[in-house]
Amino acid sequence: MTLEMLIGLFGGLGLFVFGMHMMSEGLKTVAGTKMKKLLEVLTNNKVKAVLVGTVVTMIVQSSSTTTVMVVGFVNAALMTLTQAAGVILGANIGTTVTAQLIAFNVSELAPVFIGIGALVTLFSKKKKNRDVGSIVLGFGILFFGIATMSTAMEPLRESKDFIYLLSTYGKNPFLGVLIGTLITGVIQSSSASIGLLQALALSGVFVSIGGTGAIQICIPILIGTNIGTCITALLSCIGTSTTAKKAAFIHLFVNVFGAVWVMILLVAMDSTMAVNPVYEFIVSISGTFINTNGEVVPNVARQIAMAHTFFNVANTLVLFPLIGYFVAFLDRTFPEKEEEKGLQLDDRLLNNPSIALGQVVKEMNRLAEMSTTNFRVACESVMKGNEKLVEEIIKREERIDEFQGGIVEYSVKLSNENMSEEENDRLAFVLKGSHDLERIGDHAMNIGELTEMRSTSKISFSDIANQEVLDLMSLTSNTLQDMVELLLTDEITLCYKILDKEEEIDEMTEKLKDDHISRLNQGICNPFAGVIFLDLLTNIERVGDHASNIAQGILGLKLHQGLITQSEFDYEMKEETE
């Protein structure tokens, strides 16, 4: 193999991988919301899980990427292990689409795709059109890479030594599996490895072998690529939860088990039959094509694509009834430790911004639940003088700060990814809203500190003051519950309800302050108790302000989405300051 050939092969492979990456990124941006919906409808039904795995992998164009995503989903508690197993089975089927596309050999049209894609990407004003342009451009670059590799390897078809090596050692199934595994382990993409093999076929190297010899050489290499692609998932599970590690091992089991039973079957058939019917069938349905010399030759590139598809479909059918038992075995052997779930954000999800954003929103909802709970507990502690509850408040406040910091850090990373305008608006809301939720937690802490002051100084409120502040706390707690529901549902009517309640909180707070000053003037209240009482009112009122900020943020999103008019927005808005 000459230096010129190596350079051509290296450059072509680079173009192929880059084109596949560009096409994949464009598809993920355009179909990101659909991918998110697919995951949301995913249930324990294994058939649905397999279908989702197939469709998602067709979009991202890589089973390795899908499996790494699955590890991230499991680690982020977005997906159960049973669901992950089904998706992994489907991913192996979905990745065969790339090979089928390559087999069409539309390399002559690659410059057309590149030209159209570049024009749309560079000159279109609409982001959605630019994303579609990047898909077309990536598609063209992918095929140009295939053409470059195929052209670089054309001299090999005239090399008697290379043909001899293929004919003599290429049919060794174990050597083929090893080669496929090693190449894919290095490249980190089974699609790229198979693309390389198809480029070799398109160069005409297999023409002189004839019959079923070519596919007999290629199938073990194909099976090896499935094993090699597991390395990516195994590396990605380092430092994850036990369940995420089990998801990576399921991927390894699926592909190694498939390699073992298929190779045993094929070797047994080779040794007992004059012509292997599996090879014969694949050759017969793959047809022929006219090569650059004008010769009608077997379409080995299509044979590779068909063999790849049949292997993964057959392996899925065989493993489908068995995979549940393997999951149960893993659960028994490596039980998950019972511990409180921390922040469920995983950098692997950043490859799919729509899904990553959905997970950030879920974690923001958890933050809202924690902040609401801490406010409720703080109110209980100060009214009952229960100092033991303060320890609970402090512990939860630490988690609130940790969550808010993690959400902000992750959101900043996510902001650098390619997202739609609507998704960018939602992310901006998350950044602002998480700050409001963290401040609610801070006010709960302040109320907890008032509990200690009240208990230490043995201060009590008058019956009237007690009832008044309990009413205010109840109104504010109900407002926070509406806020939590709003974050889950995005219901516009809840926004208006929260804004009305916040105005009621403000009015009630002012009235309580006036009543308190009146009681002080009459000598009914203890002045020091009055300081604590006023501090308590201020913190409760501020909590209402932050709930109002969340409602205003949702209304802002609805305005950008065209679901409410500017006049409706302006009518409801009022300046909120702390």
Side-chain angles (χ1 to χ4, degrees), residues 339-403:
E339 55 187 351
E340 192 172 15
K341 289 180 181 177
L343 192 65
Q344 304 290 300
L345 294 175
D346 196 301
D347 284 352
R348 296 168 189 81
L349 303 182
L350 294 172
N351 289 324
N352 292 274
S354 294
I355 295 168
L357 178 60
Q359 186 62 12
V360 172
V361 170
K362 284 184 179 179
E363 294 307 285
M364 182 183 177
N365 293 344
R366 290 178 64 198
L367 177 60
E369 289 277 6
M370 283 189 284
S371 297
T372 299
T373 300
N374 234 23
F375 175 75
R376 179 177 48 75
V377 173
C379 290
E380 183 183 348
S381 72
V382 75
M383 296 311 290
K384 294 182 178 179
N386 190 339
E387 288 187 89
K388 288 184 179 179
L389 291 176
V390 177
E391 295 177 11
E392 180 186 331
I393 295 166
I394 293 170
K395 187 177 179 181
R396 190 176 290 109
E397 171 61 15
E398 289 174 356
R399 281 175 56 76
I400 288 170
D401 289 342
E402 175 194 335
F403 264 59

Side-chain angles (χ1 to χ4, degrees), residues 28-276:
K28 282 189 286 186
T29 303
V30 172
T33 305
K34 292 183 178 66
M35 287 173 63
K36 182 184 172 186
K37 287 179 180 176
L38 277 174
L39 288 166
E40 287 173 349
V41 302
L42 188 65
T43 66
N44 287 327
N45 184 315
K46 288 188 291 184
V47 175
K48 286 184 180 178
V50 171
L51 291 174
V52 168
T54 303
V55 173
V56 169
T57 308
M58 287 168 63
I59 293 171
V60 301
Q61 294 287 296
S62 171
S63 61
S64 298
T65 301
T66 301
T67 307
V68 170
M69 282 166 50
V70 166
V71 172
F73 295 156
V74 172
N75 193 49
L78 273 171
M79 188 180 287
T80 66
L81 201 57
T82 303
Q83 291 170 331
V87 173
I88 289 167
L89 286 172
N92 284 351
I93 298 174
T95 195
T96 65
V97 172
T98 307
Q100 294 288 357
L101 288 174
I102 293 169
F104 283 109
N105 191 23
V106 292
S107 300
E108 293 178 0
L109 295 176
V112 177
F113 288 116
I114 292 172
I116 294 172
L119 286 172
V120 174
T121 303
L122 292 173
F123 299 110
S124 180
K125 293 181 180 179
K126 291 185 178 180
K127 185 178 181 299
K128 189 172 183 179
N129 291 341
R130 293 198 300 271
D131 291 333
V132 172
S134 70
I135 295 171
V136 177
L137 179 58
F139 189 73
I141 292 173
L142 182 151
F143 275 99
F144 192 75
I146 285 287
T148 303
M149 288 191 288
S150 178
T151 302
M153 289 187 285
E154 279 182 0
L156 292 176
R157 67 186 180 190
E158 306 298 332
S159 171
K160 293 181 180 179
D161 292 337
F162 186 76
I163 301 299
Y164 174 77
L165 285 172
L166 273 179
S167 303
T168 308
Y169 299 105
K171 294 181 181 180
N172 183 318
F174 303 106
L175 186 60
V177 170
L178 180 62
I179 290 171
T181 302
L182 291 176
I183 291 174
T184 307
V186 172
I187 298 176
Q188 296 281 290
S189 170
S190 60
S191 293
S193 301
I194 294 167
L196 186 61
L197 187 62
Q198 286 180 292
L200 184 65
L202 291 170
S203 71
V205 167
F206 293 107
V207 171
S208 59
I209 295 176
T212 60
I215 196 61
Q216 186 177 354
I217 293 169
C218 294
I219 283 180
I221 298 174
L222 288 175
I223 292 172
T225 64
N226 273 39
I227 299 175
T229 197
C230 297
I231 295 172
T232 310
L234 290 172
L235 290 173
S236 77
C237 76
I238 297 172
T240 59
S241 65
T242 304
T243 307
K245 289 185 176 71
K246 287 189 280 191
F249 280 112
I250 287 172
H251 187 225
L252 180 65
F253 166 75
V254 165
N255 290 319
V256 171
F257 180 85
V260 170
W261 78 260
V262 170
M263 289 313 302
I264 289 174
L265 177 64
L266 291 178
V267 169
M269 293 173 78
D270 286 341
S271 60
T272 57
M273 299 178 181
V275 179
N276 192 317

Side-chain angles (χ1 to χ4, degrees), residues 465-476:
N466 253 338
Q467 188 56 52
E468 287 178 337
V469 80
L470 281 172
D471 290 342
L472 180 62
M473 286 176 173
S474 177
L475 176 60
T476 308

Side-chain angles (χ1 to χ4, degrees), residues 382-434:
V382 75
M383 296 311 290
K384 294 182 178 179
N386 190 339
E387 288 187 89
K388 288 184 179 179
L389 291 176
V390 177
E391 295 177 11
E392 180 186 331
I393 295 166
I394 293 170
K395 187 177 179 181
R396 190 176 290 109
E397 171 61 15
E398 289 174 356
R399 281 175 56 76
I400 288 170
D401 289 342
E402 175 194 335
F403 264 59
Q404 195 259 346
I407 287 171
V408 169
E409 182 182 351
Y410 193 81
S411 297
V412 170
K413 292 180 186 176
L414 183 55
S415 67
N416 295 318
E417 302 297 328
N418 193 9
M419 293 190 295
S420 67
E421 186 177 342
E422 185 177 329
E423 288 170 337
N424 277 315
D425 288 342
R426 176 67 67 171
L427 186 61
F429 166 74
V430 168
L431 283 166
K432 293 176 184 176
S434 62

